Amino acid sequence: MSGAILTPHARTLWLSAAFRRLAVLLPVVRWAGKAAVLLFVVSVVTFLLISLSPGDAATSLLGQYATPATVKALQEQMHLDQPLPVQYWEWLGHVLHGDLGTSLSSGEPVRTMVAQRIGPTVSLVLLTLVVTAVIGVLLGVVSAVRGGPVARLTDALGLLGVGVPGFIIGLLLILGFSSSLGWLPPNGYATLADGLGAWSRTLVLPVTALVIGAIGFIAKQVRSAMVDALRSPFIRTLRANGFARRSVLYKHALRTASVPVLAALGTAVVGLLGGSVLIEQVFGIPGLGGLAVASAASKDLPVVQAVAVTYTLLIIAVNLCLDLLYVVVNPKVGRR
Amino acid sequence: MRLTRRALVTTAATVLGLGGLVACGSSSNSTGGGAGGTLTLITSTAPSSINPLLVGYGNSATQTVDLAYSSFFDWLGGDRFEPVLATGYKFIGSGNKEIRITLRKGLKFSDGAALNAQAEKTFLEYFMDAKAQGSETVKRLVKSISTPNETTVDIKFTQPYPDAPLLFSDGGAWGSPISPKALSGDTDQLGYHTYGAGAYELDSTVSGSTYTYVPNPNYYDTSAQHWDKVVVKVIANTDSALQTVKGTAHSVMQGTWKQKSQASSASLTETTSGAQLTYMLMLTDRAGKVTPALGDVKVRQALNYAVDRSAIADLVNGTANEQIVAKGTAGYYSDPIYSQDAAKAKELLTEAGYPDGFSFKLLVPGYEPTLVSAAQVLADDLAKANITMKIVTAPTFQQFLQQQSSMKYSADFEQWESTTMFSAAQQLIEPNGYVNKAHDSDADLNKQIAKASVLTGSAATNAWQDFSQLVSEKAWFVPLASTDQVFYSNDVTVPVNGLYPNPVTMS
């Protein structure tokens, strides 16, 4: 382009090519904008909830018998005596430069604390998601096609998931498989570096507790979507044209049903992340949930903020992956 | 339609895959026995910080400090101290106002800096300005610190302080110095690194979850380092913690009395602490500003007559106690003043001008279920003497602090860690005692404290006994029962001298 003098026609062609390229980026820009707004709102709400509740990190650290003078001095050191907007602005300024700050309780860099804890939570939630998706889809397909006992099992699982809290299920699993039978450890977490077997042993019970809570919901979503798909005219056409039953079911009907199911999985992830907080407490897993609980109790604001933002980023990331999967599963979504 | 083979295989793979991995997973947490190996300390709460000046109270706090920050002495109870980093102490002159501590030669902190008299002086000066819980006490009590030579520290107090050795033991913080190198650098690191002269140093941590310690190569007594690794693990659920101790060799936890039979059937060893927790109503409204009746000593004595200490003792698996220190402490008097007597309580109330009784509010930490249960038992007892005690529970520690500071409640219910009579006087009775938030003052009590503080030996014991009786008669508190702490261990010896066991002594 440089050095050349464009004719009006060439200029028009160049401009429309540029606009087409920009148009491809627009959804990405829109998505990034929404994510930024969501992160901002979450950080403000978290900040206000922690700041406006009784106490602060100084009183938490110094304990019951600290003198008012000592508490005041420590509050000043921690900048907790500053007006709330100033405190928030300082935090935001650091975060935008990639600095999550230091823990008010331990002085440890918040980034290190989050980095140590994110692995167990992601392991727990991803593993649960995969198991839930695989078993949920199979249960849903079979119950849609066969009905009968499998459909009733799906309904029962759904009821169990809604009616019994995950941590109760977790405690019962510990009682059965750990205390009574001694098959699995009651708590703790081994990293992948400790070996795949050790890692999975520590996750069997907590994943099972979360799966039981989520599987009924996914299976019922799959069943409902499959029933709709199987009733659609194009499926009847395929069957009439002699397509193999397996192909009709898995290649065509399930593909059509997968879009609402992916949406359900996205919703389930939010529930799993929330449920994982209690499950981590029950099973002693050193994940983000435990960090959230401990830092909220001690009013450790930088840590609470970082954990809330991390959870939000995880949800955004999972939903982005699911959006991309929509396109793979149903290319018409991408073209739109 | 039948399940296809592919669907069956997928289902089987998913459901059984984890089971297969379970089967070939590594074995449970057994470690080698004898010298070396790993000691696992299970605790229900994480320390608020591992900075020894901000670590707080409780088992986890004590353990994390004891591991990395050895003290000058180990307190064996009473006036018995075992030398650790120091070889001895003596009071200089009369009146218990100056103490000389002699350190061992050649001591080093874990970062290689020398632990000598100057290092201790540097630490105490830092402590005074540190904005930590004991800082104001250090500032108030210390008149001067001098270091006549490399191993001698002389401290002059602003007032008689017979418990000075306790301050420098594992029962206090003054004698667990932090390296001067660390104090001159970024002190934020004290919250997640250790710079003490303890047997171990912090190697790695997942904050709030696990703290792994390894032997400190600069420790003066390598024969005391029994373990290759010491891991402090936080498990909030005590039943889950018991299961972990059951499955982990060389592990210890602080448990509850309700777990005794479970622990026994798992062949765990039970050890009780040498010191105690006392359940006590702190009558903070002695001036009668919120509840005028409590300004009258006869009303407060009536409360002491109305309660059934035996019932509370049964509830907490302890022994009835009407004093501010536990039985066995020097100065503890043997014949109780109070017995449960509702009629006597009513008589005292009538004499004080409350023939129909009175009511007051009690603040209870709602996150301590035993205190909540005990408060309900107390309310029933007091009702028999026409005293209405309204229980207000604070659901979180922060809310408890906030409500306690508001001074809107006439009393709160606490577990008080056992200590010496002098320390109890300092903390609970002295007008500037950190528990005496209303700064109440009683001339008789102050006079008796001043008298007992300058005495030694049997004269001191007798004077403290008189003091304890006076405290009971003045009825600033309603002590109820004292209980031991209980620890369950798997294949490890747990010596307990104070309220919590020192992990360095476990083998």
Side-chain angles (χ1 to χ4, degrees):
Chain A
M1 288 290 300
S2 63
I5 298 171
L6 291 175
T7 63
H9 179 66
R11 198 183 304 133
T12 306
L13 283 176
W14 183 84
L15 279 170
S16 38
F19 276 127
R20 274 200 300 275
R21 283 189 209 108
L22 278 173
V24 167
L25 287 175
L26 261 176
V28 175
V29 169
R30 266 202 298 265
W31 175 85
K34 282 184 202 168
V37 169
L38 181 61
L39 285 167
F40 176 72
V41 168
V42 164
S43 70
V44 169
V45 170
T46 307
F47 177 81
L48 286 174
L49 283 174
I50 295 292
S51 299
L52 295 175
S53 59
D56 59 30
T59 52
S60 195
L61 209 47
L62 292 172
Q64 199 174 343
Y65 301 123
T67 62
T70 308
V71 171
K72 188 163 180 281
L74 192 56
Q75 284 171 334
E76 283 168 6
Q77 185 176 290
M78 291 176 169
H79 299 203
L80 296 173
D81 58 328
Q82 306 271 343
L84 293 185
V86 171
Q87 288 183 48
Y88 180 79
W89 188 249
E90 257 185 46
W91 175 83
L92 188 65
H94 288 302
V95 164
L96 291 175
H97 285 91
D99 176 13
L100 292 177
T102 56
S103 162
L104 293 177
S105 298
S106 67
E108 200 172 352
V110 173
R111 186 189 292 178
T112 307
M113 295 172 82
V114 170
Q116 284 174 337
R117 297 276 198 151
I118 198 169
T121 298
V122 169
S123 298
L124 177 64
V125 171
L126 271 184
L127 205 52
T128 303
L129 195 64
V130 166
V131 173
T132 302
V134 170
I135 302 178
V137 165
L138 281 165
L139 270 179
V141 167
V142 172
S143 65
V145 172
R146 291 188 71 182
V150 179
R152 284 196 287 278
L153 171 66
T154 304
D155 289 336
L157 281 171
L159 206 61
L160 186 68
V162 167
V164 183
F167 73 91
I168 298 281
I169 297 173
L171 289 170
L172 290 171
L173 288 171
I174 291 174
L175 196 62
F177 292 96
S178 184
S179 306
S180 304
L181 296 168
W183 287 354
L184 291 161
N187 55 53
Y189 175 78
T191 64
L192 277 168
D194 297 319
L196 186 62
W199 172 77
S200 57
R201 265 173 66 85
T202 56
L203 285 176
V204 169
L205 292 184
V207 165
T208 307
L210 285 172
V211 163
I212 290 174
I215 202 169
F217 169 69
I218 296 298
K220 286 169 86 168
Q221 292 293 315
V222 171
R223 180 176 68 190
S224 171
M226 279 296 289
V227 163
D228 286 343
L230 289 170
R231 283 183 190 152
S232 59
F234 88 95
I235 293 292
R236 285 204 299 270
T237 306
L238 290 172
R239 280 193 185 140
N241 286 338
F243 275 70
R245 201 160 184 174
R246 192 191 304 170
S247 169
V248 168
L249 194 61
Y250 290 109
K251 196 173 168 191
H252 298 282
L254 187 56
R255 178 173 269 200
T256 305
S258 62
V259 174
V261 170
L262 285 172
L265 282 172
T267 309
V269 163
V270 178
L272 286 177
L273 279 170
S276 70
V277 173
L278 270 175
I279 291 293
E280 284 175 14
Q281 297 291 293
V282 169
F283 288 96
I285 295 174
L288 287 175
L291 189 60
V293 170
S295 58
S298 61
K299 309 295 294 293
D300 197 342
L301 208 42
V303 179
V304 177
Q305 293 274 82
V307 170
V309 164
T310 305
Y311 270 120
T312 309
L313 282 170
L314 284 174
I315 291 168
I316 290 171
V318 168
N319 278 282
L320 177 64
C321 292
L322 290 173
D323 284 346
L324 292 172
L325 265 177
Y326 287 154
V327 177
V328 168
V329 160
N330 190 350
K332 287 181 195 170
V333 170
R335 281 197 284 274
R336 262 185 256 129
Chain B
M1 181 194 153
R2 279 181 293 180
L3 277 173
T4 64
R5 185 182 299 169
R6 183 183 295 176
L8 277 170
V9 166
T10 311
T11 310
T14 306
V15 173
L16 298 177
L18 283 174
L21 287 169
V22 165
C24 60
S26 63
S27 59
S28 70
N29 305 321
S30 61
T31 59
T38 300
L39 172 66
T40 305
L41 306 170
I42 312 288
T43 178
S44 58
T45 54
S48 43
S49 168
I50 59 166
N51 179 338
L53 302 183
L54 293 172
V55 74
Y57 299 99
N59 193 32
S60 64
T62 309
Q63 286 174 344
T64 48
V65 171
D66 285 346
L67 284 167
Y69 294 88
S70 284
S71 47
F72 292 169
F73 311 103
D74 276 347
W75 184 36
L76 303 179
D79 58 358
R80 296 176 304 133
F81 297 91
E82 186 172 295
V84 182
L85 298 179
T87 56
Y89 71 90
K90 67 176 182 183
F91 282 98
I92 297 172
S94 62
N96 299 324
K97 287 184 80 170
E98 184 175 353
I99 189 169
R100 168 167 288 174
I101 295 171
T102 307
L103 301 175
R104 293 183 193 274
K105 285 185 182 163
L107 292 172
K108 283 187 185 173
F109 291 97
S110 56
D111 62 0
L115 198 179
N116 51 27
Q118 183 56 44
E120 170 65 7
K121 185 177 179 205
T122 304
F123 166 66
L124 286 176
E125 286 166 350
Y126 170 82
F127 196 169
M128 285 184 209
D129 293 324
K131 304 177 193 61
Q133 196 176 83
S135 296
E136 287 197 19
T137 305
V138 183
K139 224 186 279 195
R140 179 170 52 83
L141 286 177
V142 171
K143 187 173 178 184
S144 68
I145 309 168
S146 58
T147 56
N149 58 51
E150 209 181 40
T151 58
T152 305
V153 184
D154 286 345
I155 294 165
K156 281 188 184 156
F157 295 98
T158 54
Q159 64 182 72
Y161 210 91
D163 271 5
L166 185 63
L167 293 173
F168 294 94
S169 73
D170 52 352
W174 296 32
S176 302
I178 301 171
S179 164
K181 222 190 267 185
L183 294 179
S184 62
D186 175 13
T187 52
D188 273 355
Q189 292 204 35
L190 294 175
Y192 57 99
H193 286 305
T194 57
Y195 298 95
Y200 299 88
E201 57 181 347
L202 189 69
D203 181 50
S204 63
T205 174
V206 175
S207 191
S209 177
T210 49
Y211 303 79
T212 303
Y213 293 79
V214 294
N216 170 10
N218 292 324
Y219 192 56
Y220 80 97
D221 182 10
T222 52
S223 69
Q225 293 167 318
H226 303 294
W227 309 95
D228 292 334
K229 211 193 294 189
V230 180
V231 177
V232 179
K233 198 185 269 198
V234 181
I235 299 176
N237 183 288
T238 46
D239 291 326
S240 204
L242 196 68
Q243 295 303 318
T244 303
V245 172
K246 194 173 149 188
T248 308
H250 314 303
S251 59
V252 185
M253 67 172 276
Q254 181 181 355
T256 66
W257 289 105
K258 291 176 189 168
Q259 294 172 305
K260 192 180 164 82
S261 55
Q262 267 182 286
S264 174
S265 57
S267 305
L268 300 179
T269 306
E270 176 190 309
T271 311
T272 50
S273 60
Q276 296 184 315
L277 275 182
T278 299
Y279 288 76
M280 198 148 62
L281 290 188
M282 306 287 208
L283 301 178
T284 48
D285 187 25
R286 296 152 205 146
K289 288 177 183 168
V290 177
T291 306
L294 287 174
D296 191 320
V297 64
K298 288 187 178 178
V299 169
R300 298 196 303 269
Q301 288 173 343
L303 287 170
N304 275 278
Y305 275 110
V307 296
D308 182 357
R309 290 182 167 84
S310 302
I312 302 298
D314 287 342
L315 184 73
V316 304
N317 200 78
T319 49
N321 184 12
E322 64 178 37
Q323 300 182 50
I324 59 173
V325 294
K327 192 175 177 183
T329 308
Y332 188 89
Y333 59 84
S334 49
D335 296 323
I337 296 171
Y338 296 106
S339 55
Q340 192 195 12
D341 189 342
K344 177 75 178 173
K346 284 181 189 172
E347 187 187 314
L348 283 165
L349 287 173
T350 305
E351 285 174 22
Y354 298 95
D356 300 323
F358 73 101
S359 69
F360 71 101
K361 283 188 195 167
L362 175 75
L363 181 65
V364 180
Y367 45 89
E368 298 280 0
T370 312
L371 286 174
V372 175
S373 304
Q376 283 156 358
V377 170
L378 284 174
D380 291 340
D381 289 337
L382 294 174
K384 292 171 192 162
N386 294 339
I387 301 170
T388 305
M389 184 175 79
K390 294 176 194 163
I391 301 168
V392 177
T393 51
T396 66
F397 176 64
Q398 290 284 354
Q399 281 170 302
F400 179 79
L401 282 186
Q402 188 192 43
Q403 286 169 303
Q404 191 189 47
S405 304
S406 72
M407 307 299 276
K408 286 183 190 165
Y409 297 89
S410 297
D412 59 66
F413 198 5
E414 298 184 30
Q415 295 163 311
W416 177 248
E417 282 191 16
S418 175
T419 184
T420 64
M421 197 70 77
F422 173 79
S423 290
Q426 284 287 298
Q427 293 157 21
L428 294 167
I429 310 288
E430 287 260 348
N432 50 17
Y434 61 73
V435 181
N436 187 357
K437 290 192 181 231
H439 305 294
D440 293 321
S441 182
D442 182 282
D444 295 332
L445 289 171
N446 294 342
K447 190 175 161 189
Q448 191 60 30
I449 293 171
K451 179 184 171 187
S453 299
V454 298
L455 298 172
T456 55
S458 55
T461 304
N462 292 336
W464 285 120
Q465 239 175 36
D466 293 339
F467 167 75
S468 191
Q469 281 174 327
L470 197 55
V471 171
S472 296
E473 286 162 18
K474 297 281 183 178
W476 278 22
F477 313 93
V478 185
L480 297 158
S482 293
T483 180
D484 291 325
Q485 301 300 290
V486 65
F487 300 90
Y488 300 115
S489 56
N490 182 347
D491 196 22
V492 61
T493 308
V494 180
V496 188
N497 291 310
L499 198 59
Y500 304 106
N502 183 340
V504 176
T505 60
M506 294 182 194
S507 59

